[in-house]
Every structure is written in C-alpha cells, then in structure tokens.
C-alpha cells in the first residue's frame, strides 16, 4: 500500500475501512464521478428537459468484473432531490446502497452522495435508473455490464464487440407533466414513440465486420410497454438473462418486458450491406416502432425495403417463447462451477406468497395495488426506521401473503421474511394487461407460467430442473407466474411493478428479510456516509 508503509497493520485496516465504507474486500475498485444535471434533449424531435449524467443521455455505461467494488460519487445539480438505483445488482448484505426511498434518503439539491457497492458473485447485463418521483421519464438511466473473471469459463467465444442497447417507450411531455397527470388521479396517455439509446428512428448505427460475432446487451428501460427486438436478416443466439447463462436457443425476434435485460450473439454472416435493427411495442392496439442500423464495415448498400415486422398482440407466441428460455446447467456462472449445481427443485419451500395486482380507485383517484394494498411512502426511509427502531413508520405484516379480494386501501406495506428461508412466490394477474415484476436484492427461479387461475394443482406443471433464474419477470393477462426464491440476503428490499405509472401509484411493497444474529456475517452495518432524513435526522451513523 504505497504511501502507508508507516502504519501499523491495525491502522491499515482502519484506513481501508474508512475508504471502502461497508465493503471489505481485496477485489479491485472502480471509481466513477457523476454530475447529474438538467439539459435540453430532442429524442423525438421535440425539445424536452432531460436528466443527464456527465452531460450524457443516456448516462455512461458501467463496465466491471465479478466482485469489483464500485465507488460512484453522485453530485446532484438538479433543483430537486435525487436517487439512483441499480436494477438487478443484488447488493449482497448491503441494502443500504439500493438507492430507493425505502432504503435511502434522497440526495438533496447541490449535495453529493457516494455509493459504495460490490457486484458480488454476479455476471451479466443490467441497468441503473433514477428512482424518485417520476425522474425515469426524463432519462438518468444507463447500462451495467459485469464481465466474468479471468479463467472462469464462459460458454461462448469472446465476441468481436460488445454493444449496450437501452430501448423503451417515451413521451414527448416532460416528466413533471407526466407526474402531474398521475398525481391528479389519471393514468398516462399512450406513449409517443420508442427510443434506442436515447434516440428515435435511424438515430444509431452499430458497426460490424463481416463474419464476426457481436454481443448485444438489450434492456427495456421504458415506462409502460413491453417491446420486441429483432435484426433484419439475422438470427439471435440468446446467451444470458439478467446474470444467468441461458440455453443457447436461436430467435428471430425476442420479447423484452419492462425492466428485463438479455444478451444475444449476432453473427454478421449476411451479404455486405446495412440492415435494420427494430424495436416495436407488444400487446398494444397501436404499434409503435423505432429503428437503428446494423452497418457492415464493407457495406455495399444502405438498408433496403421495409423494416421486418414482428409479433404484435399474440400472447401465446410470447408465452411459448418465455417457456423456452431456460438455464444452461453446464455453464459456469460467476464462480467456476456449473449453474445447475444449485438444485432448487429439491429444496422444500417453507412458505407460499401469492401476490395479486389490481387497479382500484381510492378517494376518487386512480391507484394500483398488491393484495389490495396501495403503497404510500413514509416520512422516513424504512431501512433507517428499522435500524434506529423508530416506531410508527411501518408495521411488519401490513400486507397479506394472499390476495384479500377486498377493495384497495393506502398503506406503507412491509412483508416480513426469515433469512435463509425458501419461498414459493406466485404473481396472479386478473387484469387484461401484461404485468412486469422486479424483486430487489435477490434472484429467483421461474418455475411456471400459464393462463387462468393458479391453484396448488398448478405445481404439477412446474419446471423444477432448469427454470431460468433472474430478477424481473412478466405475468401475462389473466395468467399467473410462479417463482422459487431463496431469501438469502438480509435487508429491506423493494418488490415493485416495472410499469412506472403503476409503481408510482402504489403497486409495490417492501420485503424485510430479517436475521436475529445482528452480525456483519449477515449484513453490513450502516454506512458512515449514510444520509439521514425524516425521523432519523440528527442521529449518528456509526463510528469506525
């Protein structure tokens, strides 16, 4: 440790802890300094106020390697509070860094906060986004790529290039106007278009060399709509889904639901010219689409003909594709052992949690709910209230394990769970729209999905061998989706709709995974730099 040779071993430990906050590791550190500002953007040809990170829309891509420590210093130059969250980063033992209102106080205007997090035992494709208010509708999102450590086998040859594609629906109205619509008790209008990496049609070009293979990491960062992704004249080999190597099936187009991420390999094996890359909306009566260009370096011509069409409202087609996405049991994950070494199908579940979405009108305003509870923010982040034992902020058990069938009501809903338990979670959707659900801090195994009403007999159809593990899953209209989930991460974790209007209007809650041990082995202590607000204001974090 250059420059610290005069320190005693104990003093060295103290210095490292002071620098690294709650992260104790010899793994590499990567430092990022981000300035968050407003700026003029024209994604659909209309001037809007966007949220930029270091002047970029979308924000910079984070590239890291399994177990890297990420030190992200965020300066909030907006005129309102701000937070970033990390979609799919598990924050092992460290929900303090999750960056949602239930765990973190906002970064005040003109202030700075440094996230100290580790991509512990993770690989794959994810993204970050602003979690407060309706900021996600203004930008502030970017990709996260976690590469495998050297000498850990990867089940495909190194690609010639690695591209991040952030796609999703977009509105021409500023995020403040959209928020006002929701606050007024109305739902959002239909989106105005689709973006690919912050631009409308023909706004991006991805260059390839003929005969070479490229990796495309595709995330749906939209607000309300599932999308379909395809490349004219090219097949896509699916290799990864939110940190899991998948069976390497070939697809001509791929449905990507809200909040989901995939990696595909594409070989430039067609005649040398340019080809359309297309995203289009799914399950909408009006189909929106946007294009980019796959450009061969030796191209003999521009794109020709109409962009290739894709599926539109076909649910069975999407359901069958979803069932075909499975785990590659022979591939190593972030560690040098096959992903299939964890035989989830042989573990007895200790609890069944059934979660039903609904769209109640409460006090004359449109709200959204889970098991009849429409979540409302407390005046203090739940994690801080839990840590400081502040009463009256929330109550564990304020949401039921099962649908109530009753009318919707407002509540700061928190569900309790025991550390190292193993649960069956069933999402039940009686509505006519596709739902998309995300669980922070965990991965889960998708064991089944089908139409109709879930019942215990539905377990007979479960895939207990190679169901894909991921953190975001869709539930089709009038259908159910079942998961097996190891509750192996102590903390306060957000479970939410990835439809951002529904999330904003209450379709979320928190899962408190509890260990009585109160040990660093189970959970890191509160960070020294933790922001304190609400009823936690004026308290001390911790001394080293």
């Amino acid at each position: 440790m250059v420059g610290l040779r005069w320190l005693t071993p104990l003093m060295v430990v103290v210095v490292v802890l002071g620098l690294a906050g709650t992260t104790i590791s010899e793994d590499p550190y990567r430092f990022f300094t981000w300035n968050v500002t407003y700026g003029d953007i024209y994604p659909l040809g209309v001037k809007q106020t966007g949220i930029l990170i270091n002047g970029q829309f979308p924000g910079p891509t984070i590239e890291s390697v399994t177990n890297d420590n990420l030190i992200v210093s965020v300066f909030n130059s907006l005129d309102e509070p701000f937070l970033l969250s990390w979609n799919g980063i598990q924050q092992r033992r460290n929900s303090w860094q999750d960056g949602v209102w239930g765990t973190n106080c906002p970064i005040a205007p003109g202030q700075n906060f440094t996230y100290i997090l580790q991509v512990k035992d993770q690989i794959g494709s994810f993204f970050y986004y602003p979690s407060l208010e309706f900021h996600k509708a203004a930008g502030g999102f970017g990709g996260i790529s976690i590469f495998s450590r050297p000498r850990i086998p990867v089940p495909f040859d190194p690609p010639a290039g690695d591209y991040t594609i952030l796609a999703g629906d977009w509105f021409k109205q500023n995020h403040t106007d959209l928020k006002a619509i929701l606050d007024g008790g109305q739902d959002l209008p239909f989106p105005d278009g689709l973006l690919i990496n912050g631009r409308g049609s023909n706004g991006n070009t991805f260059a390839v060399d003929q005969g070479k293979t490229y990796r495309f990491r595709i995330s749906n960062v939209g607000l309300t709509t599932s999308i379909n992704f395809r490349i004219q004249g090219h097949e896509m080999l699916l290799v990864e889904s939110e940190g899991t190597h998948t069976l390497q099936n070939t697809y001509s187009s791929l449905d990507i639901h809200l909040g989901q991420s995939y990696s595909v390999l594409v070989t430039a094996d067609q005649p040398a010219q340019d080809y359309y890359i297309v995203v289009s909306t799914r399950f909408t009566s009006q189909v929106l689409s946007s294009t980019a260009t796959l450009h061969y370096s030796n191209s003999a011509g521009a794109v020709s003909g109409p962009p290739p069409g894709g599926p539109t409202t076909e649910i069975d087609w999407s359901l069958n594709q979803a069932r075909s996405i499975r785990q590659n049991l022979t591939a190593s994950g972030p560690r040098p052992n096959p992903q299939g070494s964890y035989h989830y199908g042989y573990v007895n579940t200790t609890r069944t949690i059934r979660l039903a979405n609904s769209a109640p009108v409460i006090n004359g305003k449109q709200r959204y709910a889970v098991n009849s509870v429409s979540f409302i923010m407390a005046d203090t982040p739940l994690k801080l209230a839990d840590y400081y034992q502040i009463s009256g902020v929330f109550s564990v058990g304020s949401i039921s394990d099962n649908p109530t069938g009753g009318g919707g009501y407002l509540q700061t809903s928190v569900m309790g769970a025991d550390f190292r338990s193993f649960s069956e979670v069933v999402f039940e959707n009686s509505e006519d729209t596709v739902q998309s659900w995300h669980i922070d801090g965990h991965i889960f195994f998708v064991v089944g999905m089908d139409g109709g009403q879930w019942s215990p007999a539905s377990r007979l159809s479960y895939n207990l061998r190679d169901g894909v593990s991921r953190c975001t899953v869709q539930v089709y209209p009038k259908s159910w989706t079942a998961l097996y989930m190891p509750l192996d991460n102590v903390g306060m974790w957000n479970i939410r709709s990835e439809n951002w209007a529904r999330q904003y209007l209450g379709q979320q809650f928190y899962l408190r995974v509890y260990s009585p041990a109160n040990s660093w082995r189970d959970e890191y202590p509160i960070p020294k730099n933790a922001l304190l607000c609400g009823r936690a204001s004026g308290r001390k974090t911790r001394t080293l």
Side-chain angles (χ1 to χ4, degrees):
M1 190 174 290
V2 178
L4 300 178
R5 293 176 182 171
W6 54 271
L7 296 178
T8 67
L10 176 59
M11 293 170 73
V12 169
V13 170
V14 169
V15 170
V16 170
L17 285 174
L19 290 172
T22 58
T23 304
I24 308 170
S25 175
E26 295 299 322
D27 294 298
Y29 285 78
R30 297 178 187 264
F31 295 86
F32 305 86
T33 301
W34 289 353
N35 186 30
V36 181
T37 62
Y38 294 122
D40 293 338
I41 58 174
Y42 301 82
L44 293 176
V46 175
K47 181 180 176 180
Q48 295 178 254
T49 298
I51 293 178
L52 315 181
I53 297 180
N54 291 352
Q56 300 179 41
F57 168 68
T61 298
I62 291 178
E63 293 187 348
S64 62
V65 175
T66 302
N67 289 353
D68 280 356
N69 297 288
L70 308 181
I71 314 299
V72 187
S73 185
V74 178
F75 290 83
N76 178 14
S77 297
L78 307 180
D79 60 2
E80 54 186 328
F82 184 79
L83 272 179
L84 283 174
S85 190
W86 321 88
N87 209 71
I89 303 303
Q90 292 177 25
Q91 312 287 5
R92 303 298 301 173
R93 298 188 288 168
N94 203 12
S95 66
W96 302 107
Q97 307 294 335
D98 204 28
V100 292
W101 173 249
T103 58
N104 295 86
C105 293
I107 308 169
Q111 300 298 310
N112 161 256
F113 178 73
T114 299
Y115 292 89
I116 303 170
L117 52 96
Q118 186 181 28
V119 288
K120 180 68 174 174
D121 289 336
Q122 286 193 264
I123 58 170
S125 309
F126 309 96
F127 62 92
Y128 61 86
Y129 68 95
S131 62
L132 291 185
E133 301 297 341
F134 215 63
H135 288 158
K136 191 180 178 188
F141 47 76
I144 303 174
S145 300
I146 308 176
F147 297 89
S148 295
R149 289 173 289 175
R151 296 181 294 278
I152 302 295
V154 175
F156 50 88
D157 293 332
D162 194 306
Y163 289 117
T164 293
I165 292 183
L166 304 174
D169 55 35
W170 192 259
F171 295 81
K172 292 180 179 178
Q173 294 166 276
N174 285 332
H175 74 283
T176 51
D177 296 328
L178 297 174
K179 178 178 177 295
I181 293 172
L182 296 174
D183 289 340
Q186 304 298 315
D187 202 355
L188 294 180
F190 190 70
D192 294 299
L194 296 180
L195 302 186
I196 299 174
N197 288 356
R199 298 183 178 183
S201 283
N202 307 315
N204 290 276
T205 297
F206 300 88
V208 297
D209 292 333
Q210 194 165 32
K212 295 184 178 180
T213 298
Y214 296 80
R215 182 174 185 168
F216 287 82
R217 302 172 185 263
I218 315 149
S219 296
N220 184 345
V221 296
L223 300 175
T224 64
T225 312
S226 300
I227 60 173
N228 181 267
F229 180 89
R230 51 200 181 273
I231 301 178
Q232 182 183 25
H234 293 73
E235 296 293 310
M236 300 180 293
L237 188 70
L238 183 65
V239 294
E240 179 252 332
S241 169
E242 294 161 20
T244 299
H245 292 305
T246 62
L247 283 182
Q248 295 185 6
N249 296 328
T250 299
Y251 300 94
S252 57
S253 71
L254 186 64
D255 277 354
I256 306 172
H257 303 277
L258 288 165
Q260 292 186 335
S261 300
Y262 290 101
S263 284
V264 298
L265 298 181
V266 178
T267 300
D269 55 3
Q270 298 301 304
Q273 63 178 60
D274 291 355
Y275 295 88
Y276 284 111
I277 297 173
V278 186
V279 293
S280 59
T281 56
R282 288 288 269 124
F283 320 115
T284 57
S285 56
Q286 176 187 349
V287 178
L288 300 174
S289 64
S290 186
T291 61
T293 300
L294 186 74
H295 171 70
Y296 279 55
S297 59
N298 59 338
S299 175
V303 290
S304 61
T312 54
T313 60
E314 304 89 342
I315 291 173
D316 287 346
W317 184 97
S318 187
L319 175 62
N320 289 332
Q321 182 180 85
R323 287 171 171 163
S324 73
I325 298 172
R326 300 189 174 195
Q327 195 167 176
N328 185 342
L329 298 183
T330 63
S332 293
R335 296 179 179 178
N337 60 287
Q339 295 176 138
S341 62
Y342 185 91
H343 297 292
Y344 69 89
Y346 294 97
V347 180
N348 291 326
T349 58
T350 57
R351 178 182 183 184
T352 295
I353 301 170
R354 296 169 53 207
L355 302 172
N357 51 269
S358 60
V361 173
I362 302 175
N363 299 327
K365 293 185 177 183
Q366 179 65 67
R367 297 287 299 186
Y368 296 97
V370 189
N371 287 358
S372 300
V373 187
S374 186
F375 182 85
I376 52 173
M377 302 292 187
D379 60 5
T380 304
L382 310 182
K383 184 63 181 170
L384 292 178
D386 202 23
Y387 177 77
Y388 291 113
Q389 298 183 9
I390 302 171
S391 62
V393 176
F394 71 91
S395 175
V396 175
S398 45
I399 180 171
S400 170
D401 279 18
N402 295 283
T404 66
Y409 60 95
L410 304 176
Q411 177 76 43
T412 303
S413 41
V414 177
M415 181 180 289
D418 294 328
F419 182 42
R420 294 201 178 102
S421 60
F422 193 73
S423 293
E424 175 188 38
V425 179
V426 183
F427 290 108
E428 302 180 17
N429 178 19
S430 62
E431 298 183 68
D432 292 325
T433 56
V434 176
Q435 305 293 312
S436 187
W437 288 94
H438 178 88
I439 301 179
D440 277 354
H442 295 79
I443 60 98
F444 47 73
F445 300 89
V446 183
V447 296
M449 53 177 63
D450 205 349
Q453 180 67 44
W454 181 88
S455 72
S458 303
R459 296 178 179 132
L460 297 175
S461 66
Y462 281 3
N463 175 4
L464 299 182
R465 181 175 183 272
D466 61 354
V468 70
S469 61
R470 59 188 316 159
C471 57
T472 310
V473 71
Q474 72 274 24
V475 191
Y476 293 101
K478 308 290 186 182
S479 300
W480 56 267
T481 295
L483 327 168
Y484 278 1
M485 187 169 78
L487 294 169
D488 57 358
N489 201 7
V490 172
M492 187 76 70
W493 303 107
N494 190 223
I495 298 180
R496 63 177 174 269
S497 171
E498 285 288 312
N499 181 307
W500 222 239
R502 297 183 77 107
Q503 178 272 156
Y504 180 79
L505 292 179
Q507 197 165 298
Q508 59 172 308
F509 67 96
Y510 281 82
L511 183 71
R512 178 183 182 260
V513 181
Y514 177 71
S515 168
N518 193 27
S519 166
W520 282 31
R521 179 193 63 192
D522 296 340
E523 184 180 29
Y524 291 135
I526 186 172
K528 291 180 65 179
N529 70 333
L531 301 175
L532 301 180
C533 59
R535 288 186 246 177
S537 297
R539 298 174 185 253
K540 294 182 179 180
T541 54
R542 64 182 176 91
T543 56
L544 193 61

